[in-house]
Amino acid sequence: MEKYHQYKKGTVYFIVSVFILCLLAGCSSKQEETDLLKGWVGNYAFYDDFQVPDGPYMMVDYKLTIYEEDGEYYADLYACGQTLYANIRAKVYGNDEWISLVFDKELEDNHLHLKDDTLLMSFRKDKADIYTYWAIFEPLTGNPYFGGVYFSKIDP
């Protein structure tokens, strides 16, 4: 069963990685790509909690800020819970419908050490909903292998 889950997870990583490469190869110009990312700028949040049956209460608080700096788009991600403390910066790739966050560097007081270019997660907009496709992070509840509505934009 464990091998099946590893296979499924590996397949998801592969599909998302191919998607990122297609996005990067398909953009006709850097200016076009950055224009498409403007709609993602803002602050996002997700509070995840779960009571383990006959066990501890688990929680993770995610805060995400997407911004433009010198013609590039970045996302600062803060995630804090019982077993997680991450404060990292990611490069944002994508368009007005989909984005992927790829690890760029560690920020102050980060406790999560990642390799360069590690996919953190991807987002897809569908009307007012934002679907999260998890990669290195996983939700405490829900199925991490399929997109679900987790994060909310908390300001315009």
Side-chain angles (χ1 to χ4, degrees), residues 65-69 72-76 89-92 104:
T65 300
I66 298 176
Y67 59 96
E68 185 268 335
E69 184 177 283
E72 301 280 340
Y73 283 80
Y74 297 94
D76 288 351
R89 176 161 300 147
K91 293 269 303 180
V92 178
D104 184 47

Side-chain angles (χ1 to χ4, degrees), residues 10 24 84-85 93 95-96 105 112 125 132 150-151:
L24 295 174
L84 174 66
Y85 187 85
Y93 298 98
N95 57 39
D96 56 341
K105 71 179 191 175
L112 179 67
K125 284 184 186 174
T132 304
Y150 295 95
F151 284 81

